[in-house]
Amino acid sequence: MSTIQSLNADSAWPIYDREGVRALEALLQAKNPNRLMAQAGLATAQLALSIAPHAQRIGVAAGPGHNGGDGLEAAMHLHRWGKKVCVSLMGSVDQLPSDAHAAWQRALSAGVPMALGLPNHGLQDWGPHDLIIDALLGIGAMRPLTKEMMAWVQAINHARAPVLAVDVPTGLNSDSGQFLGPSAASFCIQADHTLTFIAPKPGLFMGHGRDMCGQIWLASLGATASTNGPQPHAWLNPMRPHPIKTHASHKGNYGDVAVIGGEADEHGWGMTGAALLAATSALHAGAGRVILSLLCGQSSNTATADLMQRDWQSLDLEHLHVVCGCGGGASVKQVLPAVLQRAKQLVLDADGLNVLSQTPALQALLRQRANSQATVITPHPLEAARLLQTHTSEVQNNRLEAAQNLMALLQCTVVLKGSGTIIASPGQTPRINTSGNGLLAVGGTGDVLAGLIGARMAQGLTAFDAACTAVAEHGHVADHWPAGQALTASRLARRLR
């Protein structure tokens, strides 16, 4: 029986892009010629039986390539196990690859009912007690969907039956997590489960992949850590234990965090909230002491009794873990030269990144920190695009590459926020975070993350480990948010431990 494992926020698995998977596939094929499709089909059938043991009907939408062959193999097994199976084959049988054609012959010989094209009546009468297996397109798909393929995708999505996608939902780019066709979910299979083969692919955990894949499963088909293949493209970022305060410790053991930000603009609208959120986050995450340095001056209206307030110019930056930029506005430009040159460790966020993108001299100062001073930057896709002098769409289409390009440009740890946050750091294989959800799409949650990273750095973690730990924890809190309670940034900060 094939080993099938569930991938979740606690998973620590190597991630391979399309080229890496192809290289692993070639190694496995060399050991067991013509066996991979049989193994993939068997694993698909086993998972189908597990997730829908009482399915009245199982429909297999088989595409014109190897993915279709996987579906045909699965149909053969399910039919032999007594399930009511029907295959809808897209394209000509004569044009199937040799291994997929052999799978078609085996399924036909086993008595699996087959039809070319979509059923005449469509899939309108398929419901919750049925199952549809999407075996239309695999990881090789990179071009926009044809009109015929779009019709298949929409028919499956309009059905009320649960969907199991084979390797990757049709319409999703397995490397980027972006849609292959029009930027609309209606042109990508909305799967309830996705069974991916050999190794997890980055696009399943980034961009739209987080919404379209449902529960993700892995059948390695014999690929193991000892397989002499290419190095992983990335790793999934699991939850890690955060520092525990021992009885014999004191506040000095957990570091001092200074949050510099919070400008008041010319119209009197305060921007102190962002800095206060970052400081509150660092405080609740267990930093020994937290100092709030508002660029608009001290304020008794925003600070709490647990936060100290100091003018940033009076700070001993050489001994502080600094979070800079949250709500800093234009004023942060006057602060950054000193912060970049003197701060012991630094988390640079928000307006600090905007100023950085406009000032090459400040970028040079940041690069100089690489020798002895740790830095983490936390851009969202637009901020990353500004720093890389490109467009947001380019960042989103190549999130791993964008994070690594930023890392190389600025010689620091990069946290590229978004669906499937990327953590990249010099000398490290990037991490893709799998915790978190849409509840975090509210103002201020990025400030909370910046403060949390600062606290973890103050508690002794390296910049990379602090970023990985904080990003996973930040998402974990959102994943376990109480039902019926709105997630706000201030509530999020107070739930940190």
Side-chain angles (χ1 to χ4, degrees):
M1 182 172 182
S2 300
T3 301
I4 301 173
Q5 295 166 291
S6 172
L7 301 182
N8 51 44
D10 295 325
S11 300
W13 282 91
I15 304 293
Y16 289 85
D17 64 5
R18 187 179 290 109
E19 291 183 6
V21 170
R22 292 300 190 212
L24 289 172
E25 186 177 55
L27 291 171
L28 295 173
Q29 286 279 25
K31 294 180 181 178
N32 298 291
N34 303 318
R35 288 293 301 159
L36 281 187
M37 185 170 289
Q39 291 175 297
L42 176 60
T44 302
Q46 290 169 340
L47 183 57
L49 203 61
S50 175
I51 62 179
H54 306 296
Q56 296 174 357
R57 294 175 294 182
I58 299 177
V60 179
H66 299 285
N67 199 250
D70 297 336
L72 289 164
E73 287 281 352
M76 177 189 68
H77 289 292
L78 290 165
H79 177 76
R80 286 176 173 171
W81 297 341
K83 304 303 293 184
K84 185 177 180 180
V85 182
C86 57
V87 171
S88 298
L89 186 64
M90 178 180 176
S92 169
V93 172
D94 295 336
Q95 294 180 345
L96 287 170
S98 59
D99 51 356
H101 193 274
W104 170 78
Q105 289 182 317
R106 286 192 292 271
L108 194 66
S109 298
V112 177
M114 296 197 196
L116 290 177
L118 278 168
N120 292 331
H121 54 77
L123 299 169
Q124 296 94 330
D125 63 335
W126 285 65
H129 300 295
D130 301 312
L131 177 69
I132 297 173
I133 296 177
D134 163 32
L136 290 170
L137 293 177
I139 66 171
M142 291 180 283
R143 292 175 295 186
L145 301 183
T146 63
K147 289 184 179 180
E148 182 183 10
M149 189 66 74
M150 286 184 188
W152 281 66
V153 168
Q154 291 184 313
I156 293 172
N157 283 345
H158 289 158
R160 294 179 297 115
V163 176
L164 167 61
V166 176
D167 215 9
V168 61
T170 296
L172 187 74
N173 186 308
S174 65
D175 275 357
S176 69
Q178 299 301 301
F179 295 133
L180 291 174
S183 298
S186 59
F187 296 108
C188 179
I189 291 292
Q190 175 65 71
D192 298 279
H193 299 267
T194 296
L195 175 61
T196 199
F197 302 128
I198 299 178
K201 290 80 180 175
L204 305 183
F205 305 95
M206 297 191 299
H208 300 295
R210 296 287 304 278
D211 295 315
M212 307 310 292
C213 291
Q215 174 61 53
I216 300 173
W217 306 81
L218 171 67
S220 64
L221 308 185
T224 65
S226 61
T227 302
N228 187 24
Q231 291 299 307
H233 201 50
W235 286 81
L236 292 183
N237 183 45
M239 276 294 297
R240 305 161 185 234
H242 55 72
I244 303 294
K245 291 190 174 183
T246 61
H247 289 287
S249 63
H250 55 83
K251 63 179 180 289
N253 296 125
Y254 303 102
D256 296 338
V257 175
V259 176
I260 303 175
E263 177 193 57
D265 69 15
E266 59 183 357
H267 302 292
W269 291 93
M271 297 172 64
T272 58
L276 182 59
L277 285 169
T280 303
S281 171
L283 185 69
H284 282 264
R289 292 184 300 180
V290 180
I291 304 166
L292 179 61
S293 294
L294 295 173
L295 297 178
C296 62
Q298 294 189 30
S299 171
S300 60
N301 296 326
T302 57
T304 74
D306 299 307
L307 298 174
M308 294 180 286
Q309 288 197 74
R310 298 283 188 277
D311 183 275
W312 77 269
Q313 291 175 314
S314 69
L315 297 177
D316 185 10
L317 295 174
E318 287 82 0
H319 297 91
L320 290 171
H321 306 82
V322 177
V323 178
C324 184
C326 302
S331 298
V332 78
K333 187 172 185 178
Q334 307 304 317
V335 175
L336 271 182
V339 168
L340 287 168
Q341 292 176 82
R342 295 171 52 202
K344 177 181 179 180
Q345 293 190 318
L346 174 62
V347 180
L348 197 58
D349 185 43
D351 290 320
L353 298 175
N354 292 330
V355 170
L356 191 72
S357 67
Q358 301 163 9
T359 317
L362 292 178
Q363 295 180 28
L365 288 178
L366 177 51
R367 284 189 287 270
Q368 291 173 18
R369 292 179 56 82
N371 296 324
S372 58
Q373 299 159 298
T375 308
V376 178
I377 64 171
T378 56
H380 55 55
L382 177 56
E383 291 162 345
R386 288 170 180 158
L387 287 163
L388 291 170
Q389 298 184 347
T390 185
H391 301 288
T392 306
S393 59
E394 288 299 312
V395 171
Q396 292 295 75
N397 286 334
N398 302 278
R399 284 178 58 80
L400 274 165
E401 181 180 340
Q404 290 172 294
N405 287 344
L406 269 178
M407 175 197 72
L409 174 68
L410 299 173
Q411 290 298 297
C412 65
T413 298
V414 175
V415 174
L416 177 56
K417 296 182 290 193
S419 177
T421 292
I422 308 296
I423 306 102
S425 193
Q428 301 285 345
T429 303
R431 301 293 193 268
I432 302 176
N433 192 62
T434 57
S435 65
N437 55 61
L439 292 177
L440 292 170
V442 295
T445 56
D447 303 309
V448 172
L449 177 60
L452 179 54
I453 296 171
R456 295 295 175 245
M457 292 173 76
Q459 291 159 347
L461 297 183
T462 66
F464 180 67
D465 286 340
C468 290
T469 300
V471 168
E473 183 182 357
H474 187 256
H476 178 79
V477 175
D479 287 338
H480 294 82
W481 199 257
Q485 183 182 106
L487 187 154
T488 64
S490 59
R491 287 175 176 171
L492 179 68
R494 286 175 169 80
R495 286 188 179 273
L496 299 174
R497 296 290 183 269

